[in-house]
Amino acid sequence: MTKCSGGTITVDNGYRIHKITATGTLTILERGYVELLLLAGGGSGGATTNAGGGGAGGYLYYSSYLLNILGAITVTIGLGSTTLGVNGGNSAFLDLLAYGGGFGGRGNEAGRAGGCGGGAGSAGNAYSGGAGSQGYAGGASSGWASGGGGGCGSVGRKSSSSDTGRGAGVNLSISGTSEEYGIGGAASSYGSSTPRANYGDGGSGKQTGGTGYQGSAGVLIVRYRIMQAHSASRGRLRNCGNVDPRI
């Protein structure tokens, strides 16, 4: 039966959940299968009036992944890009590697490829969004409408007065509730967005003189069922032993 230690531990409906939000270790105490999400950091948005949004961090998700090595395993959590023109950081665990999101283009350049692609900037011409290797591409631009960053759940789009162009994230319940991971950054032509910490969101395109553009860091989440035994006296399941299920 799988057992680990490390990270922030919660217990939900018979499952133990480990959430690691910064580079560190996860110690595998007993081998077994787990549900696993590895998410990289989001890319930066561009920084002009018509800049593209940053791409979300790429993600790897497994409903059943075998942890077959015992001991302390290094976990690298990719940071969101805090520098214009730089992709988000990669996240790594065992042989898994999630790629950081591509940065959004400035007013005269295409979006950069990454885990999810950055949106294109616009300066009266058309540019392409960056490709996504573990998610979706960033939005293209045309005229003076820039493209939103690609998300883990859908492509970025050319922005409009009613649409910031940001690609949707992917909805997963690995934390115990359904949450959306890896949303692309908004294009600055028609709005802005605020990345959520450790959701791998892409940075918003930054209006001239405005704030924003930084992507957010990624995360590793591991979930597995806690060993249970049948209670003959009441005919229901209970935890084995007097052990704190968070350990």
Side-chain angles (χ1 to χ4, degrees):
M1 181 66 69
T2 311
K3 187 175 181 181
C4 300
S5 67
T8 300
I9 301 171
T10 57
V11 174
D12 178 76
N13 198 28
Y15 287 87
R16 182 181 289 121
I17 302 162
H18 299 259
K19 184 176 183 179
I20 297 179
T21 58
T23 295
T25 60
L26 179 72
T27 300
I28 304 171
L29 303 173
E30 297 181 27
R31 297 178 177 91
Y33 287 90
V34 300
E35 185 180 3
L36 185 149
L37 169 67
L38 182 65
L39 179 65
S44 64
T48 59
T49 299
N50 296 293
Y59 83 106
L60 298 171
Y61 170 75
Y62 300 87
S63 60
S64 183
Y65 184 85
L66 178 60
L67 297 180
N68 199 29
I69 300 175
L70 297 179
I73 308 299
T74 297
V75 180
T76 301
I77 299 299
L79 298 176
S81 174
T82 59
T83 304
L84 293 168
V86 175
N87 282 11
N90 298 339
S91 291
F93 175 64
L94 292 171
D95 60 347
L96 304 177
L97 180 63
Y99 294 100
F103 64 82
R106 292 168 292 186
N108 59 349
E109 63 184 4
R112 182 60 59 92
C116 297
S122 61
N125 296 306
Y127 298 92
S128 60
S133 60
Q134 295 170 329
Y136 289 85
S141 66
S142 65
W144 295 96
S146 50
C152 290
S154 73
V155 296
R157 302 170 302 281
K158 183 181 78 169
S159 60
S160 69
S161 59
S162 60
D163 181 10
T164 61
R166 58 195 312 218
V170 61
N171 290 292
L172 298 170
S173 298
I174 189 170
S175 68
T177 58
S178 180
E179 296 188 276
E180 188 177 10
Y181 296 91
I183 303 175
S188 69
S189 296
Y190 292 99
S192 62
S193 58
T194 302
R196 304 158 299 159
N198 295 108
Y199 283 85
D201 294 339
S204 177
K206 176 179 177 291
Q207 287 275 359
T208 301
T211 60
Y213 75 76
Q214 297 96 338
S216 66
V219 70
L220 172 69
I221 303 177
V222 171
R223 183 172 86 148
Y224 52 90
R225 185 171 291 280
I226 300 169
M227 183 185 295
Q228 296 180 316
H230 187 267
S231 172
S233 61
R234 295 194 179 187
R236 64 186 182 187
L237 296 178
R238 61 179 174 81
N239 287 331
C240 291
N242 296 316
V243 178
D244 184 340
R246 296 171 298 172
I247 298 174

